[in-house]
Amino acid sequence: MPQGSPRDTYLQVAEVVKVQIKSDPKMTRLPPAADLMRDHDVSRGVVLRAFKALQKDGVAEPVRGGRWRVVREGEHVDQRPLDERIADLIPAEGFKVGEAFLSASDLMGKFGVSRPTVTKALDKLEAAGVLASAGQGKVRTVRTLPIREERS
């Protein structure tokens, strides 16, 4: 990358990432900081400033775990905890009491999160009595239909 003013380097990195986002409609996450550091021969601080600039422009937002996700124009992002979003799948996808529920792998793909994150959410749902498990490696089943609280 041509080096102009060091103060503007992060803006140059941000512009390159914006071009990547526009050219790839399936892009859901920003490239890892290490990749951008290597590709642009910049420090981690410069990359983090670029991410903040993208956030200010409404193009990206941080997610738990230090990652950044792409925000598309007009896109609604469900910011509720993962266990609530998973519980909503039960009525939305027509699961019945006693029926096998989605696997952790399926949920990882659906929500774009790691296995430990899914496992924590599923554990919360088991503790709440919504799901039941026969132990490690066993299929979780729907124990009860979640109660939806109406907020006013």
Side-chain angles (χ1 to χ4, degrees), residues 9 76 116:
T9 305
H76 168 70

Side-chain angles (χ1 to χ4, degrees), residues 45-99:
V46 168
V47 170
L48 295 178
R49 286 184 71 194
F51 286 172
K52 289 290 187 184
L54 292 168
Q55 181 180 18
K56 183 179 175 189
D57 292 343
V59 176
E61 68 181 6
V63 293
R64 292 175 107 176
R67 296 190 177 124
W68 287 76
R69 75 172 208 86
V70 173
V71 176
R72 302 276 177 195
E73 192 172 325
E75 176 183 49
H76 168 70
V77 179
D78 190 345
Q79 297 288 345
R80 294 176 304 144
L82 184 59
D83 59 303
E84 291 179 21
R85 293 184 284 152
I86 291 174
D88 282 352
L89 291 176
I90 295 170
E93 296 192 9
F95 285 98
K96 307 271 187 262
V97 173
E99 191 173 5

Side-chain angles (χ1 to χ4, degrees), residues 7-152:
R7 294 175 192 226
D8 295 335
T9 305
Y10 77 97
L11 293 173
Q12 294 171 2
V13 173
E15 282 304 314
V16 168
V17 174
K18 279 185 192 178
V19 169
Q20 287 177 318
I21 291 168
K22 287 180 183 173
S23 67
D24 183 0
K26 293 184 181 182
M27 184 176 182
T28 59
R29 291 192 177 152
L30 295 187
D35 291 356
L36 291 172
M37 290 166 56
R38 180 194 65 233
D39 295 347
H40 299 283
D41 193 27
V42 295
S43 70
R44 182 171 190 77
V46 168
V47 170
L48 295 178
R49 286 184 71 194
F51 286 172
K52 289 290 187 184
L54 292 168
Q55 181 180 18
K56 183 179 175 189
D57 292 343
V59 176
E61 68 181 6
V63 293
R64 292 175 107 176
R67 296 190 177 124
W68 287 76
R69 75 172 208 86
V70 173
V71 176
R72 302 276 177 195
E73 192 172 325
E75 176 183 49
H76 168 70
V77 179
D78 190 345
Q79 297 288 345
R80 294 176 304 144
L82 184 59
D83 59 303
E84 291 179 21
R85 293 184 284 152
I86 291 174
D88 282 352
L89 291 176
I90 295 170
E93 296 192 9
F95 285 98
K96 307 271 187 262
V97 173
E99 191 173 5
F101 191 61
L102 298 170
S103 69
S105 296
D106 291 337
L107 293 168
M108 287 168 48
K110 185 177 277 295
F111 293 104
V113 296
S114 68
R115 183 172 298 277
T117 301
V118 168
T119 301
K120 286 178 189 174
L122 291 172
D123 289 347
K124 284 183 179 180
L125 291 171
E126 284 182 34
V130 175
L131 297 176
S133 176
Q136 186 175 355
K138 303 294 181 191
V139 175
R140 285 183 174 85
T141 57
V142 177
R143 189 170 182 189
T144 61
L145 297 179
I147 299 170
R148 297 190 58 117
E149 296 179 12
E150 296 302 322
R151 301 199 197 301
S152 54

